[in-house]
Amino acid sequence: MKGYSPRTFHSEKDKQAFVHACDRDMRTRITQTVNAIVGQETGVHTLGLCGPTCSGKTTAAKALLEAFSKAGKRVHTVSIDDFYYDKSYLHQRERHANDMPDYDSVHTIDLPALAGMCEGIGKSERLTVPVFDFVRGERVAMREIVCREGDVLLFEGIQVLYPEVRAIIAREGMCGIFIAPKSEVWVEDSRFEPNELRLLRRLVRDARFRNTSAEDTLRLWDNVRANEEASIFPYMNVCEYQIDATYDCELHLLAPHVRPLLVGVSEASGKKETAELLLSRLVGIEGITDAYLSADSLFHEFI
C-alpha cells in the first residue's frame, strides 16, 4: 500500500480537511476491526493488542474497551509496559554487561510478576498490576483488578508477541490484534517507509512524554529495530486481525515538532549525520498544526 501526502495547500481550511479525512479513515479501520471481534466475541476472554513501537496501540485499546462495554462486557486493560523493570536496575545490569541500555527486549520485563498476576485469570480473583511511570523510569504503585467470570482481559504492548510473554498470557487462548504503520507515505518524490515514520513518531513522543533526547532515541533505534525483527515481526501473523496505522498526513504533522529535535543533535553523540539526513528529507514539507486533530485521534499518542 502507498499513501500520498500533498506538499502544498491552498489554505488552512485545506489542511484541516486533510487531517480530518485522515482521522476518519483511521477510525474506520479501527472500528471495523473492533466490530468484527465483538461480533464473534463468544469465548473471547483474553485479547492481545500488539505492534512495534509507536503504532497506536493505546488508541486501539480504548476503542476495544468502548465497543466491548457497549456489548455488555467488562474489559480490564493491562499494559505490559507496567511490568518494566526500573530504569535504574536496567542501567546497572547493562553496565555490568558492558552493553547498550536495553529498553525493548523480553529481558526488560518482570516475567515472574506477570506470571503471578495471570494465575488469577478466570478465578474471580483480585489481580495485582504494577503502575510504571515513564518520566521517572520506575514502578510507582500497584493497582487491583477485580476480575469476574465473563470479563475480558486486554493485554496491550509491543511485548505481547514475545514468545515468553505470549506463553504466559495466552494459556487459556487469546485473540490477537496487530497494529502498525504498513503503508508508505510519499511527499512529491520522497518516499518514507513505515519504519521511518515510526522513528519520526518516536523522536517526538520520547521528547514530549518520556523525557528522552533525540540523541538517545537515535542511539537506541538500531537496537529497537533489531529486537522488532527478532521478537515482533516474525510472529505478527499469529494475530487474527491486522490494522494499518499509517496517516497520509503524518509527515506534515510531525515535521514542525521533529525538526527542532534533529537540529539539536550534537556531533559528540555520533548521530549528527543521521539527524542531518532526516532533516534533509523533511525539507519543503509544509507543517500542519496538531490543533486540527480530532479529540480522539490516534496521533495524540505522539504529539
Side-chain angles (χ1 to χ4, degrees):
M1 297 174 65
K2 179 172 68 176
Y4 173 75
S5 184
R7 185 166 183 168
T8 58
F9 302 89
H10 297 296
S11 66
E12 287 298 311
K13 187 176 180 180
D14 286 347
K15 294 181 181 180
Q16 187 173 23
F18 184 38
V19 173
H20 285 181
C22 291
D23 265 335
R24 286 195 303 271
D25 183 47
M26 182 59 62
R27 279 195 298 272
T28 297
R29 292 180 226 167
I30 294 175
T31 300
Q32 287 175 343
T33 300
V34 169
N35 289 344
I37 295 169
V38 175
Q40 57 90 51
E41 175 277 329
T42 303
V44 175
H45 300 293
T46 305
L47 294 167
L49 176 62
C50 51
T53 183
C54 290
S55 290
K57 295 179 290 294
T58 301
T59 300
K62 289 179 181 177
L64 282 163
L65 189 145
E66 291 171 1
F68 271 97
S69 295
K70 289 178 181 177
K73 302 287 289 187
R74 292 206 324 162
V75 181
H76 309 284
T77 302
V78 177
S79 173
I80 305 297
D81 284 354
D82 280 327
F83 288 88
Y84 268 128
Y85 285 115
D86 288 357
K87 186 179 287 188
S88 60
Y89 167 74
L90 294 177
H91 281 181
Q92 182 182 25
R93 188 176 68 185
E94 300 308 326
R95 279 198 299 270
H96 288 163
N98 194 29
D99 202 355
M100 290 279 289
D102 173 16
Y103 302 125
D104 294 277
S105 79
V106 69
H107 304 296
T108 66
I109 304 300
D110 188 345
L111 293 177
L114 178 63
M117 187 275 288
C118 288
E119 287 178 0
I121 296 175
K123 299 180 180 178
S124 297
E125 294 184 357
R126 292 179 181 271
L127 310 180
T128 303
V129 183
V131 177
F132 194 90
D133 186 320
F134 276 94
V135 175
R136 293 169 56 176
E138 61 186 20
R139 195 174 297 180
V140 295
M142 302 294 290
R143 66 183 178 94
E144 282 192 341
I145 295 174
V146 180
C147 200
R148 301 172 186 148
E149 185 176 354
D151 286 1
V152 177
L153 220 60
L154 170 61
F155 288 92
E156 176 265 323
I158 65 172
Q159 314 89 341
V160 167
L161 283 182
Y162 293 177
E164 299 90 338
V165 173
R166 186 176 176 82
I168 293 172
I169 65 178
R171 288 170 182 164
E172 303 299 323
M174 181 178 71
C175 176
I177 309 105
F178 187 87
I179 183 169
K182 295 184 178 183
S183 302
E184 302 167 340
V185 171
W186 288 71
V187 177
E188 297 298 334
D189 295 326
S190 187
R191 176 174 64 93
F192 288 78
E193 297 180 350
N195 291 334
E196 295 176 306
L197 298 175
R198 289 192 299 110
L199 173 57
L200 296 176
R201 291 178 178 189
R202 180 153 172 162
L203 283 162
V204 178
R205 183 208 68 179
D206 283 1
R208 297 197 70 175
F209 303 123
R210 300 202 173 184
N211 196 30
T212 301
S213 69
E215 293 178 353
D216 284 344
T217 297
L218 291 172
R219 186 166 55 90
L220 293 172
W221 185 244
D222 287 344
N223 282 358
V224 171
R225 289 287 301 116
N227 178 66
E228 291 174 347
E229 293 299 331
S231 303
I232 298 177
F233 287 114
Y235 306 102
M236 61 182 283
N237 288 330
V238 306
C239 293
E240 291 86 346
Y241 299 92
Q242 307 272 331
I243 302 173
D244 183 358
T246 303
Y247 264 61
D248 285 351
C249 64
E250 64 180 86
L251 291 172
H252 298 281
L253 291 167
L254 289 167
H257 298 278
V258 78
R259 283 185 186 120
L261 299 175
L262 294 172
V263 168
V265 173
S266 68
E267 292 280 359
S269 69
K271 291 298 178 180
K272 184 69 173 178
E273 184 177 348
T274 301
E276 289 180 342
L277 177 60
L278 285 171
L279 275 170
S280 70
R281 299 185 64 212
L282 294 170
V283 168
I285 295 179
E286 189 173 355
I288 298 180
T289 174
D290 52 89
Y292 293 153
L293 290 168
S294 62
D296 61 349
S297 175
L298 175 147
F299 230 75
H300 286 305
E301 294 188 31
F302 318 116
I303 61 178

